Amino acid sequence: MAHIHFIGGEKGGVGKSLVARILAQYLIDHERPFLGFDTDKSHGALMRFYAGYASPVVVDNYESLDAIVEAAAAEPDRSILVDLAAQTQDALTQWMDDSGLLELSSELGVAITYWHVMDSGRDSVDLLKKLLDRFGSRMNYVLVQNHIRGDNFDLLDASGEKQRALELHARIINVKRLHETSMIKIDGHSSSFWSATQRADAHALGILERQRVKMWLKHAYSEIDTLHV
């Protein structure tokens, strides 16, 4: 079955592109074919860090979005990753509704999963509520608690939205905090995570920095393993 992964969260700065990059590296390291689509016109992360695997897509253009589904249907063994820029949910939802995508997906043999990337703030909880209100049981969900953007998710736990998502068979994973300096260096050199853990030159990560990134990535992979993507 083909699988489309929409990696979103609507709010800017919660780590959507980071999760897309982790998932891309996971698929590469597990020798799983995939194609990425970037909706960020100014600085798309998949286009920047995994250019050989990604293409741009215009979220307010139906023909451009249609290419996502066409790609999934053309090669069912290939996963499709869509890195959603902030404030693209309304346009995406309109396209899905007008196209009857969720109703058509089972006929096409295409599974659709929305990865809701969250920080520890109230906005992420409110946006999760909006997402669940809109799609209910028609969508598969992964809630990504991004500890790089905050360690305390008590607001989510107390809101009732986490329990509601679980009742809709959502799955939850956590992305651990990574030392900020290492991430700044990786981003500054536009390195894939593989490159960041392998290079040994004057401008790359130090020995222990590389090891910390490897350990961080190993934990992220163990979380993804539980999803059987």
Side-chain angles (χ1 to χ4, degrees):
M1 175 177 283
H3 205 144
I4 300 174
H5 301 274
F6 290 106
I7 300 141
E10 192 65 351
K11 180 182 177 183
V14 294
K16 298 180 293 296
S17 292
L18 173 67
V19 173
R21 289 161 59 192
I22 293 172
L23 189 52
Q25 190 66 60
Y26 176 91
L27 293 172
I28 291 170
D29 289 347
H30 288 78
E31 299 182 342
R32 299 264 301 278
F34 78 96
L35 179 63
F37 286 93
D38 238 319
T39 66
D40 194 324
K41 299 175 184 177
S42 58
H43 48 274
L46 289 179
M47 290 291 293
R48 177 183 172 193
F49 295 96
Y50 296 93
Y53 299 86
S55 302
V57 62
V58 181
V59 77
D60 53 1
N61 180 287
Y62 279 17
E63 289 73 21
S64 185
L65 289 169
D66 287 350
I68 296 169
V69 179
E70 298 289 349
E75 296 188 36
D77 293 334
R78 179 176 61 183
S79 294
I80 305 296
L81 309 184
V82 185
D83 184 8
L84 296 171
Q87 300 181 9
T88 56
Q89 186 64 53
D90 288 344
L92 183 75
T93 298
Q94 191 66 53
W95 167 70
M96 285 183 170
D97 287 347
D98 288 350
S99 305
L101 177 60
L102 297 181
E103 291 73 24
L104 183 64
S105 59
S106 58
E107 179 182 328
L108 292 174
V110 176
I112 297 175
T113 298
Y114 191 98
W115 296 57
H116 183 74
V117 185
M118 309 183 67
D119 62 15
S120 57
R122 168 60 63 182
D123 287 348
S124 283
V125 176
D126 292 342
L127 289 166
L128 174 60
K129 179 182 186 304
K130 181 180 178 182
L131 180 70
L132 299 179
D133 286 346
R134 185 66 192 81
F135 293 108
S137 61
R138 297 189 299 147
M139 184 87 81
N140 302 312
Y141 305 99
V142 175
L143 308 189
V144 183
Q145 298 182 154
N146 183 10
H147 291 256
I148 294 177
R149 302 301 184 191
D151 290 324
N152 188 330
F153 287 85
D154 288 350
L155 283 175
L156 173 63
D157 295 336
S159 69
E161 297 304 325
K162 179 178 179 179
Q163 183 58 39
R164 182 184 173 199
L166 291 172
E167 290 170 358
L168 292 170
H169 308 293
R171 293 161 294 173
I172 300 174
I173 65 171
N174 292 275
V175 175
K176 289 177 61 176
R177 180 181 294 276
L178 177 65
H179 191 247
E180 184 177 6
T181 301
S182 298
M183 185 61 74
I184 290 172
K185 287 184 179 181
I186 292 170
D187 288 356
H189 291 92
S190 296
S191 300
S192 69
F193 289 126
W194 181 89
S195 178
T197 58
Q198 300 300 318
R199 291 176 58 196
D201 60 45
H203 302 291
L205 302 179
I207 295 172
L208 291 182
E209 285 179 312
R210 292 199 302 273
Q211 181 64 12
R212 284 193 290 270
V213 174
K214 288 178 182 178
M215 297 300 292
W216 172 78
L217 206 56
K218 180 180 179 180
H219 178 270
Y221 284 7
S222 70
E223 293 283 295
I224 296 172
D225 282 340
T226 66
L227 305 176
H228 306 292
V229 299

